[in-house]
Amino acid sequence: MRTILSTILCFIISYGICMSAMSTEQLADSAYNKENYAEAIHLYQESLVKNGRSSDVYYNLGNAYYRSGNLAQAVLAYERALRVDPSNKDARINLDFVNSKLEDKPEDNNSFLTRAHHGVVTFMSANAWAWMAFIVFAMLCGAMAMYIFSSNVMIRKAGFFSGIILLALVIYFVIVASDASSRINNHDEAVVTAPSTLLNSVPRQPKQTEKVVPLHEGTKVEIIDSVSTPDDPVSPRWYNVRINGSNSAWLRGTDVERI
């Protein structure tokens, strides 16, 4: 009997040591694999608090939210994963998949150039674009050397015109790197987390006679202004938002969460 108790005690101690040695993220992965998505969500969030932002952890958190049926929080987690690492292809694929299941699919009213620039900025991380600018700058120095030191007219022309193109690319890549860097800490975009909300022309609860536009969970909006309404029983803050470059409207601040 004493031997059995000793064996059980040793097992409990060993199990406790193993569990303490496991990281919070590993525990979250284990809970996810066991389809205990609520526990996985809690542990992934705890990992983010302890260890800081991580694209992979946000990606896993989005998967857990999707499996639990919370599409809005899944979109929010995938968006945050891409903020940290725009090259996270799995997060982008899953985000597109979840967006296809949302009730609202607003058209993008931004200009072609705006959409193209946004696509470039979100294609790679800020560090990657900075390295691209450095590489192109080195090529620019080579083109300048060709123009200055070569005695061959054709080579000088090639150096001159290629230098102009490379200079433009260097300037643009620096702008892209700057935009990508500022985007990481930019919280001007948000996701509707309430099941539904209403877009109104003024920052208050709309009257029955006023025309409003319904908006459903998971829709991404751009916050362009906000107003505090501490005496409003519905929401203490209202946001003036745009959706894909459309006209602005107001919605309750309690119905969205910033990315």
Side-chain angles (χ1 to χ4, degrees):
M1 184 68 179
R2 187 174 296 175
T3 304
I4 295 174
L5 291 174
S6 299
T7 303
I8 293 174
L9 183 60
C10 289
F11 174 78
I12 293 173
I13 293 173
S14 299
Y15 179 77
I17 293 173
C18 290
M19 290 297 290
S20 62
M22 293 177 67
S23 67
T24 306
E25 187 177 347
Q26 288 173 325
L27 292 173
D29 292 340
S30 177
Y32 180 89
N33 292 331
K34 294 176 182 177
E35 299 185 2
N36 188 353
Y37 301 122
E39 179 67 13
I41 289 169
H42 171 73
L43 290 170
Y44 283 132
Q45 290 175 335
E46 185 178 327
S47 175
L48 290 167
V49 172
K50 286 182 178 179
N51 305 316
R53 295 184 298 180
S54 165
S55 183
D56 290 336
V57 175
Y58 276 130
Y59 167 72
N60 291 332
L61 178 62
N63 292 341
Y65 271 123
Y66 174 75
R67 292 294 184 183
S68 64
N70 194 330
L71 299 186
Q73 288 295 334
V75 169
L76 192 61
Y78 292 140
E79 288 282 0
R80 286 171 174 169
L82 291 170
R83 284 289 178 89
V84 178
D85 181 12
S87 64
N88 190 332
K89 294 181 180 179
D90 292 333
R92 190 170 299 281
I93 291 171
N94 284 15
L95 176 61
D96 292 340
F97 174 74
V98 175
N99 280 334
S100 69
K101 293 182 172 294
L102 299 179
E103 187 169 347
D104 296 327
K105 298 178 178 63
E107 295 183 0
D108 194 343
N109 295 319
N110 289 305
S111 66
F112 171 77
L113 291 177
T114 300
R115 294 197 302 270
H117 178 69
H118 181 266
V120 173
V121 171
T122 57
F123 183 71
M124 293 192 301
S125 66
N127 288 339
W129 283 119
W131 273 107
M132 284 292 296
F134 176 78
I135 291 171
V136 176
F137 177 75
M139 295 171 63
L140 172 62
C141 291
M144 292 174 59
M146 289 168 55
Y147 176 75
I148 294 172
F149 299 109
S150 178
S151 58
N152 187 295
V153 175
M154 294 301 295
I155 294 178
R156 283 172 59 85
K157 286 184 178 181
F160 177 78
F161 289 110
S162 62
I164 293 176
I165 296 172
L166 291 170
L167 177 61
L169 287 175
V170 168
I171 295 172
Y172 181 65
F173 286 160
V174 169
I175 293 173
V176 170
S178 176
D179 288 349
S181 178
S182 62
R183 189 172 182 271
I184 295 175
N185 297 312
N186 181 7
H187 300 293
D188 289 342
E189 290 182 320
V191 173
V192 177
T193 53
S196 64
T197 187
L198 297 175
L199 293 174
N200 194 22
S201 58
V202 291
R204 59 168 170 76
Q205 186 69 6
K207 300 177 181 178
Q208 292 183 347
T209 56
E210 292 178 331
K211 185 178 180 180
V212 294
V213 177
L215 204 61
H216 300 89
E217 66 171 341
T219 305
K220 186 167 75 169
V221 299
E222 178 190 1
I223 299 174
I224 56 178
D225 196 6
S226 67
V227 60
S228 178
T229 53
D231 298 329
D232 190 335
V234 177
S235 177
R237 182 169 294 277
W238 288 76
Y239 289 136
N240 192 15
V241 303
R242 277 197 300 253
I243 306 171
N244 288 337
S246 61
N247 294 330
S248 64
W250 293 89
L251 55 70
R252 295 186 294 265
T254 53
D255 290 344
V256 299
E257 186 173 344
R258 291 178 183 265
I259 297 174

